[in-house]
Amino acid sequence: MLGLMQDWPLLCHRIIEHAAQVHGNQEVVTRSVEGPIVRTTYAQIHRRALKVSQMLDRAGIKLGDRVATIAWNTARHLECWYGIMGIGAICHTVNPRLFPDQIVWIVNHAQDRVMITDLTFIPILEKIADKMPSVERYIVLTDAEHMPQTTLKNAVAYEEWLKEADGDFAWKSFDENTAAAMCYTSGTTGDPKGVLYSHRSNVLHALMANNGDSLGTRASDTMLPVVPLFHANSWGIAFSAPSMGTKLVMPGAKLDGASVYELLSTEKVTHTAGVPTVWLMLLQYMAKEKLTLPDLRMVVCGGSAMPRSMIKAFVDMGCEARHAWGMTEMSPIGTLAALKPPFDKLEGDERLDRLSTQGYPPFGVQMKITDDAGTDVPWDGKTFGRLKVSGPAVAKAYYRVDTEILDDQGFFDTGDVATVDADAYMRITDRSKDVIKSGGEWISSIDLENLAVGHPKVAEAAVIGVYHPKWDERPLLICQLKPDVTCTRDEILQYMDGKIAKWWMPDDIVFVEAIPHTATGKILKTALRDQFKTYSLPNAAA
Ligand code: ADP
């Protein structure tokens, strides 16, 4: 027997309809790419999103067609998300930090028909446009006044394009399993892989993100997503914030410490989210200028491990540091380190210990850890295993790839190695390909990196395994120092000594000007492994 409740498909555009109806005057503030701060509301975003839909529909964009965006976090970009999804087209967010060849590969793989872009990216796109024949037209997110001359095919300024629409258009209803958006993983190994979100998965993910132990913003809060709309489904914030009526502050193209600080401060932001590199820049800027952020209550940090020293810096500011783990394939929320009883009563180092874990999953994510044979290993906080996940917002396949990616029980292998303790708190040990295998035992590169950045002179640290004749691999610590400081190898080794097992100690330390990053802000280990592939450790003859 079926239930007698309404058939109300979970469609993304229902979120912005709700925001417009119930929180219509709530502000969305943008640092525009042109420069000035621009203010709009959810009601206006909804109206303009309908115009985007109307214009795309008029251009013959149909259910299932791909429309790409390569753009910063702005209100215009958000309007486009909803405008594209509202007609059942697929919003394909392209990461502008990828190499031009990767952008070409992704756009051709997705067969995008329209490309919506910011002024910033016109020069990159002009160089590669002839290699992307599926793109019929380019829409530049600006007005006539700022629109430059460009060779891009059928280029039009967004504001001019929108003027042609009267907004007399209604979104259609369709099956909630219809594809809504796509995002390619950065492909640090092999080709990029397309993750295809559905309307249903995005709506369920928004509800999951809204719980108090997750992102948990309310109508009375202000959220500044530093995490770009083009990175891993914007961590769901493009859906969760409007669904709650939370004020949004969009940082545009400027993500340096001073610019992010300015918006956090002037807009009295209560919640913000981004990768550790961004917070490193912010904290360095605030320390140098002796600044505070009295309104900021929560910093969500994920994408890479949040170092303990960073968590402490935010906690000392009186702000909650919420460490999150996830991935593009998970929409992307996997786990969050909220403090459940009795851990909420912890203080000092013990509290930091809990906050430094990657946390536990919200309802909607199931996880397990297994050995290489696929057998579950215990949740004892000690046994490492391959981390596997399932849930309604977790990928079951990649776009146009036939390979099976789920195990017999329907779990997806995240490629991460982790421990889980008896209270369900998960701790990432490493990416399975980054873990250092020393004499058959595993050393966590992440643990060593987190410890090294705790040294007051170290800005960023990376650890890779380097060939060793006796142990196979031993850890090499690569450090980028803070500006204008000098430091010796021994100073850092002394600092680490006693804080980890002796056999985990790095065999050597090298100092570099800058640590390379991927397009999503992670340490580019492949480049470091390449750079140091012939590195000879001082004790390698032993
Ligand atoms: P991309 O490879 O495109 O950057 P993702 O953002 O999806 O893609 O990367 C997901 C991976 O990032 C995870 O599988 C994990 O290895 C790493 N990661 C994410 N959050 C954390 C975290 N809090 N701690 C450690 N690693 C993390």
Side-chain angles (χ1 to χ4, degrees):
M1 190 186 297
L2 295 177
L4 290 173
M5 303 312 269
Q6 296 182 11
D7 197 6
W8 201 88
L10 304 176
L11 298 175
C12 295
H13 40 287
R14 292 202 149 160
I15 292 178
I16 200 71
E17 277 171 353
H18 170 80
Q21 193 171 55
V22 178
H23 308 284
N25 293 328
Q26 181 61 288
E27 274 190 311
V28 176
V29 181
T30 298
R31 185 193 295 285
S32 66
V33 176
E34 293 88 348
I37 302 291
V38 177
R39 291 174 187 275
T40 180
T41 62
Y42 281 128
Q44 283 168 2
I45 288 184
H46 174 248
R47 256 196 304 280
R48 284 160 57 91
L50 277 171
K51 291 187 176 185
V52 172
S53 292
Q54 189 177 19
M55 290 307 291
L56 290 173
D57 184 64
R58 206 178 279 172
I61 301 296
K62 292 187 283 300
L63 197 81
D65 282 348
R66 275 76 62 207
V67 175
T69 67
I70 182 159
W72 300 111
N73 286 9
T74 64
R76 283 179 178 145
H77 192 180
L78 194 63
E79 289 159 13
C80 291
W81 270 44
Y82 283 104
I84 296 166
M85 295 179 203
I87 55 167
I90 298 166
C91 177
H92 173 202
T93 49
V94 180
N95 184 341
R97 297 187 185 124
L98 294 172
F99 293 120
D101 281 351
Q102 285 176 310
I103 295 179
V104 168
W105 193 95
I106 284 172
V107 169
N108 283 325
H109 192 262
Q111 289 286 293
D112 297 317
R113 287 188 59 191
V114 175
M115 169 83 76
I116 299 174
T117 183
D118 268 324
L119 286 165
T120 327
F121 309 117
I122 292 181
I124 307 176
L125 291 172
E126 281 179 341
K127 288 203 191 84
I128 54 177
D130 61 343
K131 296 186 205 148
M132 304 187 295
S134 66
V135 181
E136 297 159 25
R137 114 164 289 184
Y138 289 82
I139 294 160
V140 184
L141 293 169
T142 193
D143 51 21
E145 193 193 331
H146 294 90
M147 182 72 182
Q149 282 290 336
T150 169
T151 56
L152 292 175
K153 206 190 303 175
N154 296 322
V156 60
Y158 178 68
E159 295 298 337
E160 291 302 296
W161 185 64
L162 278 200
K163 274 187 197 155
E164 292 174 38
D166 58 12
D168 183 14
F169 187 82
W171 280 324
K172 297 173 186 71
S173 187
F174 35 77
D175 189 293
E176 63 183 18
N177 287 302
T178 304
M182 82 199 299
C183 186
Y184 282 74
T185 60
S186 54
T188 37
T189 53
D191 285 334
K193 292 185 279 293
V195 177
L196 194 57
Y197 306 112
S198 66
H199 282 263
R200 174 186 152 86
S201 70
N202 275 339
V203 172
L204 289 176
H205 184 269
L207 300 178
M208 200 167 92
N210 283 339
N211 90 55
D213 285 328
S214 191
L215 304 185
T217 61
R218 298 176 309 175
S220 51
D221 293 327
T222 300
M223 163 62 99
L224 187 154
V226 185
V227 54
L229 287 167
F230 56 73
H231 184 200
N233 202 21
S234 78
W235 296 4
I237 295 167
F239 304 114
S240 62
S243 77
M244 295 303 290
T246 301
K247 173 177 162 183
L248 267 177
V249 180
M250 301 296 241
K254 294 208 170 140
L255 304 178
D256 59 285
S259 305
V260 170
Y261 174 81
E262 189 196 26
L263 279 182
L264 289 172
S265 166
T266 55
E267 295 301 325
K268 300 195 182 331
V269 170
T270 56
H271 292 61
T272 184
V275 297
T277 340
V278 166
W279 306 133
L280 201 66
M281 293 192 290
L282 176 75
L283 288 170
Q284 275 176 9
Y285 174 76
M286 288 179 66
K288 192 161 131 255
E289 304 291 328
K290 303 199 169 30
L291 299 169
T292 57
L293 283 169
D295 297 297
L296 191 63
R297 293 207 312 272
M298 170 143 17
V299 177
V300 182
C301 180
S304 304
M306 187 182 196
R308 188 187 172 92
S309 51
M310 187 178 281
I311 297 176
K312 182 165 182 334
F314 283 119
V315 169
D316 289 348
M317 274 166 57
C319 171
E320 231 178 290
R322 184 153 296 169
H323 192 189
W325 165 85
M327 62 195 311
T328 307
E329 288 87 336
M330 301 181 73
S331 300
I333 291 176
T335 57
L336 299 118
L339 295 179
K340 60 176 172 173
F343 309 113
D344 53 341
K345 301 284 181 308
L346 292 174
E347 283 177 23
D349 275 349
E350 283 181 325
R351 192 175 179 91
L352 288 179
D353 285 345
R354 263 302 129 178
L355 291 173
S356 319
T357 69
Q358 272 76 6
Y360 61 90
F363 172 68
V365 176
Q366 240 185 312
M367 64 178 182
K368 65 176 181 179
I369 42 174
T370 76
D371 60 18
D372 285 342
T375 311
D376 282 14
V377 298
W379 287 18
D380 59 9
K382 291 197 291 282
T383 316
F384 300 151
R386 287 170 165 279
L387 179 59
K388 298 179 182 171
V389 290
S390 80
V394 178
K396 64 176 174 190
Y398 291 110
Y399 182 61
R400 291 180 51 203
V401 176
D402 282 338
T403 334
E404 181 57 64
I405 62 167
L406 305 185
D407 72 9
D408 299 346
Q409 292 165 339
F411 279 68
F412 168 77
D413 188 337
T414 63
D416 288 328
V417 176
T419 60
V420 182
D421 69 16
D423 298 289
Y425 280 82
M426 186 271 287
R427 191 184 278 277
I428 296 278
T429 310
D430 236 322
R431 293 291 292 163
S432 49
K433 57 186 186 299
D434 293 339
V435 73
I436 297 155
K437 296 179 185 92
S438 170
E441 297 287 347
W442 286 2
I443 298 175
S444 158
S445 67
I446 293 185
D447 281 1
L448 295 183
E449 287 158 6
N450 284 345
L451 180 59
V453 290
H455 189 285
K457 291 182 178 173
V458 176
E460 204 174 3
V463 173
I464 55 167
V466 171
Y467 170 73
H468 190 284
K470 180 169 175 199
W471 303 108
D472 285 339
E473 264 184 1
R474 288 292 304 157
L476 171 67
L477 171 61
I478 300 157
C479 287
Q480 179 185 331
L481 294 177
K482 290 189 177 154
D484 309 321
V485 297
T486 50
C487 182
T488 63
R489 171 182 180 277
D490 287 346
E491 268 180 75
I492 295 177
L493 287 177
Q494 262 167 31
Y495 169 81
M496 296 177 83
D497 194 23
K499 298 193 174 79
I500 39 168
K502 268 255 170 309
W503 65 276
W504 277 40
M505 285 291 280
D507 280 28
D508 204 4
I509 300 182
V510 289
F511 295 98
V512 293
E513 285 292 312
I515 288 187
H517 290 105
T518 67
T520 51
K522 298 189 210 310
I523 296 173
L524 190 55
K525 296 258 172 115
T526 45
L528 290 174
R529 275 195 282 266
D530 221 35
Q531 187 180 346
F532 293 100
K533 71 172 173 261
T534 54
Y535 192 82
S536 168
L537 293 167
N539 58 356

